[in-house]
């Protein structure tokens, strides 16, 4: 997901702490910007997309909220409605708008696609969806594939 946003010209921050060499290499290839920690992500970001093991989703949200993040928080983890309600409560205390997301499919490649489904406030949905729209400079066959992912 991060690589797709970066490929479309967006600045994507990520925390390399505790990540494997392979993950670091993928982040470098995608031109993601490493930061020192979650505080820097919370301060510098307008949108945070949470993709983590589902068991960690609430803790990640609490960590982000602890740094007074007040942008758009997208939880795209495979979590229960009760966990999503908890995340909404946690993020609501910091003033963030919460979007519930779901990624269906394999990581995108020449032969595979994934879809990102979103639910939440209309203005937040439009902002998040715009991250995945193809820019006009992208070749037509890539734009068509990109536009097909927004449903």
């Amino acid at each position: 997901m991060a690589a797709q946003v970066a490929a479309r010209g967006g600045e994507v921050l990520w925390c390399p702490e505790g990540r494997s060499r392979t993950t670091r290499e993928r982040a470098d290839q995608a031109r993601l910007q490493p930061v020192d920690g979650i505080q820097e992500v919370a301060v510098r970001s307008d949108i945070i997309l949470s993709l983590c093991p589902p068991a960690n989703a609430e803790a990640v949200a609490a960590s982000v909220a602890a740094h007074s993040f007040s942008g758009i928080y997208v939880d795209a983890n495979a979590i229960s409605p009760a966990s999503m309600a908890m995340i909404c409560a946690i993020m609501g205390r910091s003033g963030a708008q919460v979007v519930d997301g779901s990624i269906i499919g394999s990581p995108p490649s020449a032969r595979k696609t994934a879809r990102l489904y979103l639910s939440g406030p209309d203005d937040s949905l439009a902002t998040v969806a715009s991250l995945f729209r193809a820019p006009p400079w992208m070749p037509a066959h890539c734009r068509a594939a990109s536009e097909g992912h927004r449903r």
Side-chain angles (χ1 to χ4, degrees):
M1 298 303 293
Q4 286 189 349
V5 173
R8 288 163 175 76
E11 180 183 26
V12 179
L13 308 177
W14 81 291
C15 298
E17 181 182 332
R19 304 308 305 244
S20 71
R21 183 175 55 86
T22 304
T23 298
R24 290 170 186 259
E25 289 170 359
R26 280 195 308 264
D28 287 343
Q29 289 171 354
R31 290 182 243 122
L32 308 185
Q33 303 298 311
V35 295
D36 290 331
I38 197 70
Q39 180 177 4
E40 187 174 352
V41 171
V43 169
R44 291 181 52 191
S45 299
D46 297 319
I47 301 169
I48 293 178
L49 177 64
S50 173
L51 287 168
C52 65
N56 297 356
E58 289 179 34
V60 169
S63 178
V64 170
H67 296 291
S68 302
F69 178 71
S70 60
I72 300 171
Y73 186 84
V74 182
D75 187 289
N77 301 299
I79 58 173
S80 70
S83 290
M84 191 64 209
M86 181 60 75
I87 288 170
C88 286
I90 291 167
M91 296 309 300
R93 290 191 287 268
S94 71
Q97 288 191 15
V98 179
V99 171
D100 186 4
S102 176
I103 300 168
I104 306 297
S106 301
S109 69
R111 297 178 193 205
K112 297 179 182 179
T113 61
R115 295 197 181 204
L116 174 62
Y117 293 91
L118 302 169
S119 176
D122 287 343
D123 56 335
S124 295
L125 295 179
T127 301
V128 174
S130 73
L131 296 174
F132 298 94
R133 286 192 188 106
W137 51 261
M138 187 175 275
H141 69 281
C142 295
R143 277 198 311 273
S146 172
E147 296 300 314
H149 291 251
R150 306 181 289 113
R151 295 196 179 166

